[in-house]
PDB file of all heavy atoms in Angstrom:
ATOM      1  N   PRO A   1     -40.635 -20.118 -16.874  1.00 85.00           N
ATOM      2  CA  PRO A   1     -39.603 -19.762 -17.869  1.00 85.00           C
ATOM      3  C   PRO A   1     -38.454 -20.770 -17.871  1.00 85.00           C
ATOM      4  O   PRO A   1     -38.027 -21.258 -16.818  1.00 85.00           O
ATOM      5  CB  PRO A   1     -39.132 -18.375 -17.414  1.00 85.00           C
ATOM      6  CG  PRO A   1     -40.277 -17.832 -16.609  1.00 85.00           C
ATOM      7  CD  PRO A   1     -40.908 -19.005 -15.936  1.00 85.00           C
ATOM      8  N   ILE A   2     -37.961 -21.080 -19.053  1.00 80.00           N
ATOM      9  CA  ILE A   2     -36.858 -22.032 -19.204  1.00 80.00           C
ATOM     10  C   ILE A   2     -35.529 -21.320 -19.079  1.00 80.00           C
ATOM     11  O   ILE A   2     -35.326 -20.234 -19.615  1.00 80.00           O
ATOM     12  CB  ILE A   2     -36.952 -22.726 -20.577  1.00 80.00           C
ATOM     13  CG1 ILE A   2     -38.262 -23.492 -20.703  1.00 80.00           C
ATOM     14  CG2 ILE A   2     -35.767 -23.684 -20.785  1.00 80.00           C
ATOM     15  CD1 ILE A   2     -38.492 -24.109 -22.064  1.00 80.00           C
ATOM     16  N   ASN A   3     -34.628 -21.928 -18.335  1.00 80.00           N
ATOM     17  CA  ASN A   3     -33.275 -21.410 -18.187  1.00 80.00           C
ATOM     18  C   ASN A   3     -32.414 -22.000 -19.303  1.00 80.00           C
ATOM     19  O   ASN A   3     -32.059 -23.180 -19.281  1.00 80.00           O
ATOM     20  CB  ASN A   3     -32.720 -21.803 -16.823  1.00 80.00           C
ATOM     21  CG  ASN A   3     -31.378 -21.128 -16.551  1.00 80.00           C
ATOM     22  OD1 ASN A   3     -30.818 -20.433 -17.398  1.00 80.00           O
ATOM     23  ND2 ASN A   3     -30.842 -21.342 -15.356  1.00 80.00           N
ATOM     24  N   TYR A   4     -32.082 -21.176 -20.285  1.00 77.00           N
ATOM     25  CA  TYR A   4     -31.335 -21.643 -21.459  1.00 77.00           C
ATOM     26  C   TYR A   4     -29.830 -21.790 -21.187  1.00 77.00           C
ATOM     27  O   TYR A   4     -29.099 -22.268 -22.050  1.00 77.00           O
ATOM     28  CB  TYR A   4     -31.560 -20.709 -22.651  1.00 77.00           C
ATOM     29  CG  TYR A   4     -32.979 -20.712 -23.142  1.00 77.00           C
ATOM     30  CD1 TYR A   4     -33.879 -19.740 -22.758  1.00 77.00           C
ATOM     31  CD2 TYR A   4     -33.425 -21.732 -24.004  1.00 77.00           C
ATOM     32  CE1 TYR A   4     -35.197 -19.751 -23.201  1.00 77.00           C
ATOM     33  CE2 TYR A   4     -34.726 -21.749 -24.463  1.00 77.00           C
ATOM     34  CZ  TYR A   4     -35.617 -20.769 -24.065  1.00 77.00           C
ATOM     35  OH  TYR A   4     -36.890 -20.799 -24.519  1.00 77.00           O
ATOM     36  N   ASN A   5     -29.385 -21.389 -19.998  1.00 80.00           N
ATOM     37  CA  ASN A   5     -27.975 -21.522 -19.667  1.00 80.00           C
ATOM     38  C   ASN A   5     -27.608 -22.925 -19.181  1.00 80.00           C
ATOM     39  O   ASN A   5     -26.435 -23.244 -19.052  1.00 80.00           O
ATOM     40  CB  ASN A   5     -27.600 -20.511 -18.578  1.00 80.00           C
ATOM     41  CG  ASN A   5     -27.748 -19.076 -19.039  1.00 80.00           C
ATOM     42  OD1 ASN A   5     -27.463 -18.760 -20.219  1.00 80.00           O
ATOM     43  ND2 ASN A   5     -28.206 -18.195 -18.167  1.00 80.00           N
ATOM     44  N   ILE A   6     -28.635 -23.744 -18.922  1.00 81.00           N
ATOM     45  CA  ILE A   6     -28.375 -25.099 -18.462  1.00 81.00           C
ATOM     46  C   ILE A   6     -28.205 -26.023 -19.661  1.00 81.00           C
ATOM     47  O   ILE A   6     -28.957 -25.937 -20.635  1.00 81.00           O
ATOM     48  CB  ILE A   6     -29.546 -25.596 -17.566  1.00 81.00           C
ATOM     49  CG1 ILE A   6     -29.651 -24.709 -16.328  1.00 81.00           C
ATOM     50  CG2 ILE A   6     -29.366 -27.048 -17.183  1.00 81.00           C
ATOM     51  CD1 ILE A   6     -30.791 -25.073 -15.444  1.00 81.00           C
ATOM     52  N   PRO A   7     -27.211 -26.904 -19.649  1.00 77.00           N
ATOM     53  CA  PRO A   7     -27.009 -27.821 -20.775  1.00 77.00           C
ATOM     54  C   PRO A   7     -28.237 -28.699 -21.001  1.00 77.00           C
ATOM     55  O   PRO A   7     -28.797 -29.260 -20.066  1.00 77.00           O
ATOM     56  CB  PRO A   7     -25.820 -28.673 -20.330  1.00 77.00           C
ATOM     57  CG  PRO A   7     -25.129 -27.841 -19.293  1.00 77.00           C
ATOM     58  CD  PRO A   7     -26.187 -27.048 -18.605  1.00 77.00           C
ATOM     59  N   LYS A   8     -28.666 -28.779 -22.269  1.00 78.00           N
ATOM     60  CA  LYS A   8     -29.844 -29.569 -22.618  1.00 78.00           C
ATOM     61  C   LYS A   8     -29.442 -31.008 -22.950  1.00 78.00           C
ATOM     62  O   LYS A   8     -29.793 -31.544 -23.993  1.00 78.00           O
ATOM     63  CB  LYS A   8     -30.578 -28.909 -23.785  1.00 78.00           C
ATOM     64  CG  LYS A   8     -31.046 -27.493 -23.508  1.00 78.00           C
ATOM     65  CD  LYS A   8     -31.994 -27.460 -22.329  1.00 78.00           C
ATOM     66  CE  LYS A   8     -32.548 -26.068 -22.077  1.00 78.00           C
ATOM     67  NZ  LYS A   8     -31.522 -25.110 -21.649  1.00 78.00           N
ATOM     68  N   ARG A   9     -28.696 -31.622 -22.078  1.00 78.00           N
ATOM     69  CA  ARG A   9     -28.287 -33.011 -22.234  1.00 78.00           C
ATOM     70  C   ARG A   9     -28.303 -33.677 -20.868  1.00 78.00           C
ATOM     71  O   ARG A   9     -28.430 -33.014 -19.845  1.00 78.00           O
ATOM     72  CB  ARG A   9     -26.874 -33.095 -22.836  1.00 78.00           C
ATOM     73  CG  ARG A   9     -25.798 -32.464 -21.964  1.00 78.00           C
ATOM     74  CD  ARG A   9     -24.397 -32.726 -22.470  1.00 78.00           C
ATOM     75  NE  ARG A   9     -23.383 -32.180 -21.583  1.00 78.00           N
ATOM     76  CZ  ARG A   9     -22.857 -30.993 -21.699  1.00 78.00           C
ATOM     77  NH1 ARG A   9     -23.230 -30.187 -22.700  1.00 78.00           N
ATOM     78  NH2 ARG A   9     -21.942 -30.573 -20.847  1.00 78.00           N
ATOM     79  N   PHE A  10     -28.218 -34.995 -20.898  1.00 80.00           N
ATOM     80  CA  PHE A  10     -28.204 -35.719 -19.645  1.00 80.00           C
ATOM     81  C   PHE A  10     -26.959 -35.353 -18.850  1.00 80.00           C
ATOM     82  O   PHE A  10     -25.869 -35.260 -19.422  1.00 80.00           O
ATOM     83  CB  PHE A  10     -28.252 -37.224 -19.896  1.00 80.00           C
ATOM     84  CG  PHE A  10     -28.584 -38.021 -18.656  1.00 80.00           C
ATOM     85  CD1 PHE A  10     -29.909 -38.190 -18.277  1.00 80.00           C
ATOM     86  CD2 PHE A  10     -27.589 -38.584 -17.885  1.00 80.00           C
ATOM     87  CE1 PHE A  10     -30.229 -38.912 -17.149  1.00 80.00           C
ATOM     88  CE2 PHE A  10     -27.901 -39.310 -16.760  1.00 80.00           C
ATOM     89  CZ  PHE A  10     -29.228 -39.476 -16.379  1.00 80.00           C
ATOM     90  N   PRO A  11     -27.078 -35.097 -17.546  1.00 82.00           N
ATOM     91  CA  PRO A  11     -25.920 -34.651 -16.751  1.00 82.00           C
ATOM     92  C   PRO A  11     -24.758 -35.637 -16.858  1.00 82.00           C
ATOM     93  O   PRO A  11     -24.907 -36.845 -16.698  1.00 82.00           O
ATOM     94  CB  PRO A  11     -26.464 -34.613 -15.313  1.00 82.00           C
ATOM     95  CG  PRO A  11     -27.938 -34.599 -15.445  1.00 82.00           C
ATOM     96  CD  PRO A  11     -28.305 -35.212 -16.715  1.00 82.00           C
ATOM     97  N   ARG A  12     -23.588 -35.080 -17.114  1.00 83.00           N
ATOM     98  CA  ARG A  12     -22.361 -35.890 -17.229  1.00 83.00           C
ATOM     99  C   ARG A  12     -21.541 -35.893 -15.944  1.00 83.00           C
ATOM    100  O   ARG A  12     -20.625 -36.689 -15.802  1.00 83.00           O
ATOM    101  CB  ARG A  12     -21.525 -35.384 -18.386  1.00 83.00           C
ATOM    102  CG  ARG A  12     -22.217 -35.481 -19.738  1.00 83.00           C
ATOM    103  CD  ARG A  12     -21.365 -34.934 -20.846  1.00 83.00           C
ATOM    104  NE  ARG A  12     -22.050 -35.030 -22.140  1.00 83.00           N
ATOM    105  CZ  ARG A  12     -21.554 -34.552 -23.287  1.00 83.00           C
ATOM    106  NH1 ARG A  12     -20.355 -33.962 -23.290  1.00 83.00           N
ATOM    107  NH2 ARG A  12     -22.243 -34.691 -24.412  1.00 83.00           N
ATOM    108  N   ASN A  13     -21.887 -35.008 -15.034  1.00 84.00           N
ATOM    109  CA  ASN A  13     -21.186 -34.963 -13.740  1.00 84.00           C
ATOM    110  C   ASN A  13     -22.149 -34.416 -12.694  1.00 84.00           C
ATOM    111  O   ASN A  13     -23.288 -34.029 -13.002  1.00 84.00           O
ATOM    112  CB  ASN A  13     -19.904 -34.115 -13.848  1.00 84.00           C
ATOM    113  CG  ASN A  13     -20.182 -32.732 -14.458  1.00 84.00           C
ATOM    114  OD1 ASN A  13     -21.018 -31.992 -13.987  1.00 84.00           O
ATOM    115  ND2 ASN A  13     -19.453 -32.433 -15.540  1.00 84.00           N
ATOM    116  N   LEU A  14     -21.665 -34.367 -11.455  1.00 88.00           N
ATOM    117  CA  LEU A  14     -22.529 -33.928 -10.363  1.00 88.00           C
ATOM    118  C   LEU A  14     -22.877 -32.458 -10.473  1.00 88.00           C
ATOM    119  O   LEU A  14     -23.977 -32.040 -10.052  1.00 88.00           O
ATOM    120  CB  LEU A  14     -21.829 -34.203  -9.032  1.00 88.00           C
ATOM    121  CG  LEU A  14     -21.705 -35.676  -8.630  1.00 88.00           C
ATOM    122  CD1 LEU A  14     -20.936 -35.815  -7.320  1.00 88.00           C
ATOM    123  CD2 LEU A  14     -23.086 -36.311  -8.505  1.00 88.00           C
ATOM    124  N   ASN A  15     -21.979 -31.647 -11.039  1.00 88.00           N
ATOM    125  CA  ASN A  15     -22.278 -30.227 -11.163  1.00 88.00           C
ATOM    126  C   ASN A  15     -23.449 -29.975 -12.121  1.00 88.00           C
ATOM    127  O   ASN A  15     -24.326 -29.147 -11.839  1.00 88.00           O
ATOM    128  CB  ASN A  15     -21.043 -29.483 -11.652  1.00 88.00           C
ATOM    129  CG  ASN A  15     -19.957 -29.384 -10.584  1.00 88.00           C
ATOM    130  OD1 ASN A  15     -20.255 -29.360  -9.396  1.00 88.00           O
ATOM    131  ND2 ASN A  15     -18.692 -29.375 -11.003  1.00 88.00           N
ATOM    132  N   GLU A  16     -23.462 -30.691 -13.255  1.00 84.00           N
ATOM    133  CA  GLU A  16     -24.582 -30.545 -14.182  1.00 84.00           C
ATOM    134  C   GLU A  16     -25.867 -31.067 -13.585  1.00 84.00           C
ATOM    135  O   GLU A  16     -26.941 -30.491 -13.781  1.00 84.00           O
ATOM    136  CB  GLU A  16     -24.261 -31.277 -15.493  1.00 84.00           C
ATOM    137  CG  GLU A  16     -23.167 -30.602 -16.325  1.00 84.00           C
ATOM    138  CD  GLU A  16     -23.016 -31.263 -17.674  1.00 84.00           C
ATOM    139  OE1 GLU A  16     -23.759 -32.218 -17.962  1.00 84.00           O
ATOM    140  OE2 GLU A  16     -22.153 -30.801 -18.458  1.00 84.00           O
ATOM    141  N   LEU A  17     -25.788 -32.185 -12.826  1.00 87.00           N
ATOM    142  CA  LEU A  17     -26.979 -32.694 -12.149  1.00 87.00           C
ATOM    143  C   LEU A  17     -27.517 -31.681 -11.152  1.00 87.00           C
ATOM    144  O   LEU A  17     -28.728 -31.483 -11.029  1.00 87.00           O
ATOM    145  CB  LEU A  17     -26.655 -34.023 -11.455  1.00 87.00           C
ATOM    146  CG  LEU A  17     -27.803 -34.660 -10.685  1.00 87.00           C
ATOM    147  CD1 LEU A  17     -28.973 -34.992 -11.585  1.00 87.00           C
ATOM    148  CD2 LEU A  17     -27.312 -35.917  -9.945  1.00 87.00           C
ATOM    149  N   LYS A  18     -26.612 -31.035 -10.426  1.00 89.00           N
ATOM    150  CA  LYS A  18     -27.020 -30.019  -9.454  1.00 89.00           C
ATOM    151  C   LYS A  18     -27.691 -28.848 -10.145  1.00 89.00           C
ATOM    152  O   LYS A  18     -28.670 -28.288  -9.638  1.00 89.00           O
ATOM    153  CB  LYS A  18     -25.795 -29.553  -8.663  1.00 89.00           C
ATOM    154  CG  LYS A  18     -26.133 -28.563  -7.567  1.00 89.00           C
ATOM    155  CD  LYS A  18     -24.894 -28.163  -6.778  1.00 89.00           C
ATOM    156  CE  LYS A  18     -25.249 -27.155  -5.705  1.00 89.00           C
ATOM    157  NZ  LYS A  18     -24.027 -26.747  -4.929  1.00 89.00           N
ATOM    158  N   LEU A  19     -27.180 -28.466 -11.335  1.00 87.00           N
ATOM    159  CA  LEU A  19     -27.807 -27.376 -12.079  1.00 87.00           C
ATOM    160  C   LEU A  19     -29.242 -27.738 -12.475  1.00 87.00           C
ATOM    161  O   LEU A  19     -30.152 -26.908 -12.364  1.00 87.00           O
ATOM    162  CB  LEU A  19     -26.973 -27.048 -13.328  1.00 87.00           C
ATOM    163  CG  LEU A  19     -25.639 -26.355 -13.106  1.00 87.00           C
ATOM    164  CD1 LEU A  19     -24.891 -26.214 -14.424  1.00 87.00           C
ATOM    165  CD2 LEU A  19     -25.844 -24.981 -12.486  1.00 87.00           C
ATOM    166  N   HIS A  20     -29.437 -28.965 -12.947  1.00 87.00           N
ATOM    167  CA  HIS A  20     -30.778 -29.394 -13.346  1.00 87.00           C
ATOM    168  C   HIS A  20     -31.729 -29.411 -12.160  1.00 87.00           C
ATOM    169  O   HIS A  20     -32.881 -28.937 -12.250  1.00 87.00           O
ATOM    170  CB  HIS A  20     -30.706 -30.778 -13.986  1.00 87.00           C
ATOM    171  CG  HIS A  20     -30.204 -30.771 -15.392  1.00 87.00           C
ATOM    172  ND1 HIS A  20     -30.925 -30.242 -16.449  1.00 87.00           N
ATOM    173  CD2 HIS A  20     -29.057 -31.255 -15.939  1.00 87.00           C
ATOM    174  CE1 HIS A  20     -30.263 -30.379 -17.576  1.00 87.00           C
ATOM    175  NE2 HIS A  20     -29.100 -31.006 -17.285  1.00 87.00           N
ATOM    176  N   ILE A  21     -31.287 -29.964 -11.041  1.00 89.00           N
ATOM    177  CA  ILE A  21     -32.161 -30.059  -9.871  1.00 89.00           C
ATOM    178  C   ILE A  21     -32.452 -28.665  -9.317  1.00 89.00           C
ATOM    179  O   ILE A  21     -33.576 -28.381  -8.882  1.00 89.00           O
ATOM    180  CB  ILE A  21     -31.510 -30.967  -8.801  1.00 89.00           C
ATOM    181  CG1 ILE A  21     -31.432 -32.395  -9.312  1.00 89.00           C
ATOM    182  CG2 ILE A  21     -32.307 -30.915  -7.484  1.00 89.00           C
ATOM    183  CD1 ILE A  21     -30.749 -33.353  -8.361  1.00 89.00           C
ATOM    184  N   THR A  22     -31.459 -27.783  -9.338  1.00 90.00           N
ATOM    185  CA  THR A  22     -31.665 -26.420  -8.851  1.00 90.00           C
ATOM    186  C   THR A  22     -32.699 -25.694  -9.710  1.00 90.00           C
ATOM    187  O   THR A  22     -33.578 -24.970  -9.185  1.00 90.00           O
ATOM    188  CB  THR A  22     -30.343 -25.642  -8.857  1.00 90.00           C
ATOM    189  OG1 THR A  22     -29.403 -26.318  -8.016  1.00 90.00           O
ATOM    190  CG2 THR A  22     -30.542 -24.234  -8.337  1.00 90.00           C
ATOM    191  N   ASP A  23     -32.631 -25.894 -11.028  1.00 90.00           N
ATOM    192  CA  ASP A  23     -33.596 -25.241 -11.918  1.00 90.00           C
ATOM    193  C   ASP A  23     -34.989 -25.836 -11.714  1.00 90.00           C
ATOM    194  O   ASP A  23     -35.988 -25.100 -11.731  1.00 90.00           O
ATOM    195  CB  ASP A  23     -33.144 -25.418 -13.366  1.00 90.00           C
ATOM    196  CG  ASP A  23     -34.027 -24.625 -14.313  1.00 90.00           C
ATOM    197  OD1 ASP A  23     -34.110 -23.394 -14.178  1.00 90.00           O
ATOM    198  OD2 ASP A  23     -34.648 -25.258 -15.198  1.00 90.00           O
ATOM    199  N   SER A  24     -35.080 -27.142 -11.527  1.00 91.00           N
ATOM    200  CA  SER A  24     -36.383 -27.764 -11.253  1.00 91.00           C
ATOM    201  C   SER A  24     -36.959 -27.270  -9.939  1.00 91.00           C
ATOM    202  O   SER A  24     -38.170 -27.040  -9.823  1.00 91.00           O
ATOM    203  CB  SER A  24     -36.240 -29.288 -11.236  1.00 91.00           C
ATOM    204  OG  SER A  24     -35.881 -29.779 -12.507  1.00 91.00           O
ATOM    205  N   THR A  25     -36.100 -27.106  -8.943  1.00 92.00           N
ATOM    206  CA  THR A  25     -36.559 -26.575  -7.663  1.00 92.00           C
ATOM    207  C   THR A  25     -37.082 -25.155  -7.811  1.00 92.00           C
ATOM    208  O   THR A  25     -38.063 -24.766  -7.189  1.00 92.00           O
ATOM    209  CB  THR A  25     -35.420 -26.633  -6.644  1.00 92.00           C
ATOM    210  OG1 THR A  25     -34.938 -27.990  -6.537  1.00 92.00           O
ATOM    211  CG2 THR A  25     -35.877 -26.156  -5.274  1.00 92.00           C
ATOM    212  N   ARG A  26     -36.391 -24.379  -8.650  1.00 92.00           N
ATOM    213  CA  ARG A  26     -36.854 -23.001  -8.904  1.00 92.00           C
ATOM    214  C   ARG A  26     -38.252 -22.994  -9.515  1.00 92.00           C
ATOM    215  O   ARG A  26     -39.134 -22.239  -9.085  1.00 92.00           O
ATOM    216  CB  ARG A  26     -35.877 -22.319  -9.854  1.00 92.00           C
ATOM    217  CG  ARG A  26     -36.368 -20.949 -10.363  1.00 92.00           C
ATOM    218  CD  ARG A  26     -35.457 -20.397 -11.444  1.00 92.00           C
ATOM    219  NE  ARG A  26     -35.468 -21.244 -12.635  1.00 92.00           N
ATOM    220  CZ  ARG A  26     -36.391 -21.160 -13.598  1.00 92.00           C
ATOM    221  NH1 ARG A  26     -37.411 -20.296 -13.494  1.00 92.00           N
ATOM    222  NH2 ARG A  26     -36.314 -21.932 -14.673  1.00 92.00           N
ATOM    223  N   LYS A  27     -38.480 -23.861 -10.483  1.00 92.00           N
ATOM    224  CA  LYS A  27     -39.787 -23.910 -11.138  1.00 92.00           C
ATOM    225  C   LYS A  27     -40.878 -24.437 -10.203  1.00 92.00           C
ATOM    226  O   LYS A  27     -42.005 -23.945 -10.213  1.00 92.00           O
ATOM    227  CB  LYS A  27     -39.717 -24.781 -12.394  1.00 92.00           C
ATOM    228  CG  LYS A  27     -38.840 -24.167 -13.493  1.00 92.00           C
ATOM    229  CD  LYS A  27     -39.034 -24.853 -14.822  1.00 92.00           C
ATOM    230  CE  LYS A  27     -38.445 -26.248 -14.810  1.00 92.00           C
ATOM    231  NZ  LYS A  27     -38.524 -26.873 -16.176  1.00 92.00           N
ATOM    232  N   ALA A  28     -40.530 -25.409  -9.363  1.00 92.00           N
ATOM    233  CA  ALA A  28     -41.495 -25.916  -8.396  1.00 92.00           C
ATOM    234  C   ALA A  28     -41.846 -24.870  -7.357  1.00 92.00           C
ATOM    235  O   ALA A  28     -43.019 -24.688  -6.990  1.00 92.00           O
ATOM    236  CB  ALA A  28     -40.949 -27.167  -7.722  1.00 92.00           C
TER     237      ALA A  28
END
């Protein structure tokens, strides 16, 4: 399932990058 709360753009800061990696870790 896709997490729609995560910004669908390239991370602009470390917090957004952490959100993307955390969501990818969840799916893995």
